[in-house]
Amino acid sequence: MQGAEVALEGVGLAYGAFWAVRGIDLTVRPGEFFSLLGPSGCGKTTILRLVSGFVEPTEGVIRIDGRDVRGVGPAARPTALVFQNLALFPLMRVWENVAFGLEVRGVAKAERRRRAEELLELVALPGFAEKRVDELSGGQRQRVAIARALAVEPKVLLLDEPLSALDLKLRQHMRAELKAIQRRTGVTFLYITHDQGEAFTMSDRVAVMSQGRIEQVGTPAEIYDAPATAFVASFVGESNPLPGRVRESAGGLARIDTALGPLRARDPRGLAPGSAAILVVRPERCRLDGAGEGDGPADRLARAEDAPVNRIEGRLARIDFEGAFANLVVASPAGPALKVQVANDGRLSRLEAGAPVTVRFPAEAALALPEGPLARE
Amino acid sequence: MSELWRRFGRLGGGLVLATALLWALLLIVLPQLLMVELSFRPNLPAAARGGPEDVLSLANYAALWANPLHRAIFWQTIWSSLLVTLLALLVCYPVAFHLAQEARGTRALLLATALVIPFWVNEILRTFSWFLILARNGLVNRLLLGLGVIEEPLALGGVGAVMIGMVYAYVLFMIFPLYNALESLDRNQIEAARDLGASTWRIHWRVVIPHAKPGIAVGCVMTFMLAAGTFAVPQIMQSLPGGTNARWFTQIIYSYFFDGGDWNRGSAYAFALLLLCIVFVMATMRLFRVGLRDIAK
Amino acid sequence: MSARGLLRLFTALYLALFFAYLFLPLVFMVAAAFNASRFPTMLPWEGFTLQWFWGFDARGRPTGLFQDARMAAALWNSILIGAGVILLSVPLGLAGALLLTSLQSRLKGFLYAVLVSPILTPGVILGISTLIFWQRAFEVGGGLFLAVVGQSTFIASYCMLLFMARLERFDRTLEEAALDLGASHLQMVRRILLPFLRPAILSAALIAFLQSFENYNTTLFVIGAEDTLTINIATRVRLGLTPAVNAIGVLFIAATVLAAIGWAVLRRREVAVRRERPVPARAQRLAPAAG
């Protein structure tokens, strides 16, 4: 099997006056594990339905391996869909489910059966051919659905939150399983999820979506470390978004006036002085004076006299002890509370709620982004 | 509509659409429209149809209004049907409640099956079985004669006999909707009400009946429609001694079609009956605040 | 005795009365079928006889139901009409259900109202309008064909409701999954939709036949000079009264009781199976044999 390239060029879909998605430009490379990540209602399922052919775009072009597939029905596209609820046929045996795509293509029964057994082998379900669908566990159904989709030898496998019905442990197990199947088959996977853990662990690249648009496309590390918009920064992982106004920007560093005072942050875009901005810093990049002090390079940098460091005075409002680390909330009378995550270096017990503390993070750890909507908690 | 094409394709979707529309038009809408249209025209020989005399008028309806006998039979059909509906509701409610809420397991199944049996025995035969009881030589007269209560067989025919026959023939159309509605009531609600100190009457009035509203509405609509539109029951019960005066509106309609040959007048009378049923359905749905959708049980 | 105990006694008494009311007339009717009396009555009892099923009177004339050629012809007509109604109503009802489940909004509400309206229309009016329409528009008079058409008008509505109830539990993504896997629309219908609907199709066919078989009010207007079993019974009841009518009743009741017992046994087994295996019991029973 060989993966295909999927390209969306200026794709939009409107229901009456409402645009479910618009201006989507996206290229999924052949054989890539690509995820669309976003909150529910952001339009990611719409993109999946557009690619699979259940809906036609109102504007724009969809290409699979360079071929314009507009007007081609779902049956004729080299894609196969794994449905959110799996949509296994309840009246058919497992192998009949898997071989359904071959059956409708007129493949002889013996051959169908043989292919079904092979695919069940591939998804680690040997010997399940004669079972009924209702005899399977959640994870097993999952694999049958994937085998059924793979049976038609698609070049692109479209997966619509297929793990959402499973419990946490099984979900984590299936992530590795899915990734392995993708590697083995070489098929392009286009994966839909609202769970960043899922997207990050499995994907080569991720597109973050919000309100019918793509906010950022990149590898999981790029998305986490260099979010392109305030939405991405706040949707992916924990963060402290601090709205403010740019005072000056030079040499890739900006000084921003926030409610917590003037703070410095990386500014790769060179924001215009006077413009509204949001400074974002991850909780794990923050330090407390006198607690959770590490000795890594970042810590040494933060302690260095000449490095630009931000300092915020506050009061320790809450301590949630997690074991390996602790989540702290530092309240400051001047502005929003800060989330801080400190490693457990054996001195966490010295922390006391209500105590005055100083939060410290290097300018390099913070990022200045143009003002924009945040993800809702 | 695009959903239809997506599910079944152009050909399949077209077939589904065409079949359903053919049913709606050829079997339902057009026949009714033609009947209504006919009712506004005079009865003419085939040659004169479409001629100068063939004009729309209310003459056929005026004739119904002007005929005191027909008018009387129309009113009698209405109030008798209402009474039959009410009687059927009163008779069925306790049974349906017991079946849906109190009886369990095998007993419930047995009772439900027992209800189904007379349901599938022909309406004619069901009526006939009561005819046999009320006949001159029937069970009632025999018993009364045997006990010496009466000397001569009584003439038991009449509107009362027709209504007895109808309640008997149609109770099951009342009991099944009631049962369906009551079955979905969570038993805990009754327990809760009882626990809070409500009396049996209050529980029914405040908890059970409000829940059963759609079922009551459907049962009443079905029973009324069947009673007002029946032909079989009065026809059979009229053969009882003293039963000739118990005429039903449907019988007048029938005689216009097959004895008098005046289809136009018959259509007008039929449409009047249909309007009556529509009014009853609308009134019941409004009274019980239920939609047409609840009728799909 | 407590108030609740009293209530329970009262309920039991009422139920006994109700079922007596329901069944005693039928019992009398059955009993009269075996009474040697010339009139259809249970009293006075003149001795047990089977002559109303098969037999001859004193002058050697046949008295039994099974010797009546007209009855046999009427029965045959009823069966023909019933078969016709199945062939017409089931597809109509299915098309209606599929169409309605594909529609949204106001059009759906309107069409739904039109398609269920025959259930709420008196049978005589359905008969009359059918007769008028086919006579005036196509010059087709009363007869077996018109009986099929007239009865199907409302029986198709019942079928449609049955299909809609079943389709409510249908997962539409199964259709999409089949199409996505390359099935044509026809293959999807044949392989996914129809197998799912099969139990509903069977019960719709059964209900359609029974409804047709016992229909009187509509049939009366569209049957023309033909005879059906129900029309024949009504004529007998009205005119020549011999206990042969009761003999028909006996057969009807016997058939119904047998069917009801069969149904109850099936239901019990289903309930028992379901208790054993909560979810899949139904699927198991309906699953086609592999291959």
Side-chain angles (χ1 to χ4, degrees), chain B residues 5-73:
Chain B
W5 312 134
R6 202 177 311 140
R7 288 178 76 188
F8 305 114
R10 292 265 154 209
L11 193 69
L15 195 67
V16 166
L17 183 66
T19 310
L21 288 185
L22 226 58
W23 170 25
L25 285 177
L26 280 188
L27 267 58
I28 303 172
V29 176
L30 290 179
Q32 298 291 341
L33 284 181
L34 196 63
M35 181 185 90
V36 173
E37 203 244 13
L38 214 61
S39 74
F40 289 108
R41 293 185 182 280
N43 183 31
L44 297 167
R49 275 178 214 146
E53 294 166 72
D54 199 356
V55 289
L56 298 175
S57 77
L58 287 171
N60 291 317
Y61 295 93
L64 167 58
W65 188 250
N67 187 325
L69 180 63
H70 290 178
R71 219 167 57 205
I73 292 176

Side-chain angles (χ1 to χ4, degrees), chain A residues 253-333:
Chain A
L253 270 189
R255 187 189 286 271
I256 297 175
D257 288 326
T258 73
L260 296 173
L263 298 172
R264 276 173 298 177
R266 271 188 299 138
D267 179 19
R269 283 169 195 73
L271 298 174
S275 65
I278 289 182
L279 181 146
V280 191
V281 60
R282 302 262 181 219
E284 73 269 19
R285 299 299 297 270
C286 298
R287 293 287 177 268
L288 282 192
D289 273 342
E293 293 264 11
D295 203 31
D299 300 299
R300 257 176 279 137
L301 185 71
R303 275 194 297 271
E305 279 295 307
D306 53 339
V309 168
N310 298 300
R311 281 197 164 74
I312 299 164
E313 308 287 326
R315 193 171 289 278
L316 195 50
R318 211 169 95 195
I319 309 169
D320 291 333
F321 183 68
E322 295 269 357
F325 55 88
N327 290 319
L328 315 177
V329 175
V330 175
S332 155

Side-chain angles (χ1 to χ4, degrees), chain C residues 8-287:
Chain C
R8 199 164 295 162
L9 183 76
F10 197 74
T11 308
L13 212 65
Y14 184 81
L15 280 171
L17 263 175
F18 179 81
F19 279 96
Y21 167 70
L22 219 52
F23 280 99
L24 281 185
L26 297 179
V27 170
F28 296 147
M29 184 167 73
V30 168
F34 298 101
N35 189 356
S37 163
R38 205 163 51 78
F39 301 103
T41 173
M42 198 178 86
L43 294 173
W45 187 253
E46 294 180 11
F48 181 84
T49 179
L50 288 176
Q51 66 167 318
W52 308 120
F53 293 88
W54 186 280
F56 300 92
D57 66 5
R59 280 184 246 164
R61 286 175 307 192
T63 55
L65 174 69
F66 297 128
Q67 294 146 292
D68 189 333
R70 281 195 54 201
M71 178 65 85
L75 176 64
W76 179 239
N77 278 347
S78 284
I79 291 173
L80 281 183
I81 293 173
V85 167
I86 291 178
L87 290 180
L88 188 57
S89 312
V90 172
L92 290 184
L94 184 57
L98 292 180
L99 179 61
L100 286 181
T101 51
S102 303
L103 292 181
Q104 273 114 30
S105 73
R106 287 167 60 186
L107 184 62
K108 176 179 183 168
F110 174 73
L111 204 59
Y112 179 85
V114 170
L115 294 181
V116 297
S117 68
I119 291 180
L120 301 175
T121 308
V124 294
I125 287 174
L126 296 177
I128 288 168
S129 55
T130 304
L131 177 69
I132 292 173
F133 180 68
W134 289 84
Q135 178 91 66
R136 290 284 160 97
F138 303 106
E139 304 208 340
V140 176
L144 296 190
F145 170 75
L146 225 49
V148 170
V149 172
Q151 292 180 1
S152 295
T153 305
F154 74 97
I155 293 177
S157 305
Y158 280 113
C159 294
M160 182 181 84
L161 293 183
L162 279 171
F163 289 130
M164 288 184 78
R166 178 109 183 119
L167 283 172
E168 223 159 69
R169 280 181 288 144
F170 181 62
D171 175 9
R172 282 268 205 90
T173 56
L174 295 184
E175 288 180 2
E176 293 195 342
L179 294 178
D180 184 63
L181 291 168
S184 67
H185 291 285
L186 183 69
Q187 281 172 324
M188 182 277 284
V189 169
R190 209 173 50 79
R191 203 69 178 82
I192 308 296
L193 196 58
L194 288 184
F196 176 81
L197 285 174
R198 200 171 65 167
I201 292 174
L202 289 179
S203 48
L206 182 70
I207 301 257
F209 187 82
L210 291 176
Q211 290 258 16
S212 161
F213 201 72
E214 78 148 16
N215 183 271
Y216 181 69
N217 288 326
T218 302
T219 312
L220 184 67
F221 283 82
V222 287
I223 195 63
E226 300 284 344
D227 211 359
T228 71
L229 188 65
T230 311
I231 301 270
N232 187 289
I233 295 170
T235 318
R236 274 162 188 272
V237 166
R238 228 159 8 113
L239 307 171
L241 266 184
T242 82
V245 179
N246 300 55
I248 303 174
V250 172
L251 296 182
F252 253 94
I253 292 171
T256 315
V257 169
L258 283 180
I261 289 173
W263 178 79
V265 168
L266 270 180
R267 260 292 284 273
R268 271 195 74 163
R269 190 178 303 160
E270 192 177 307
V271 169
V273 172
R274 203 173 275 168
R275 220 170 272 150
E276 238 169 71
R277 304 174 44 84
V279 190
R282 210 176 166 75
Q284 175 186 10
R285 205 161 45 76
L286 303 173

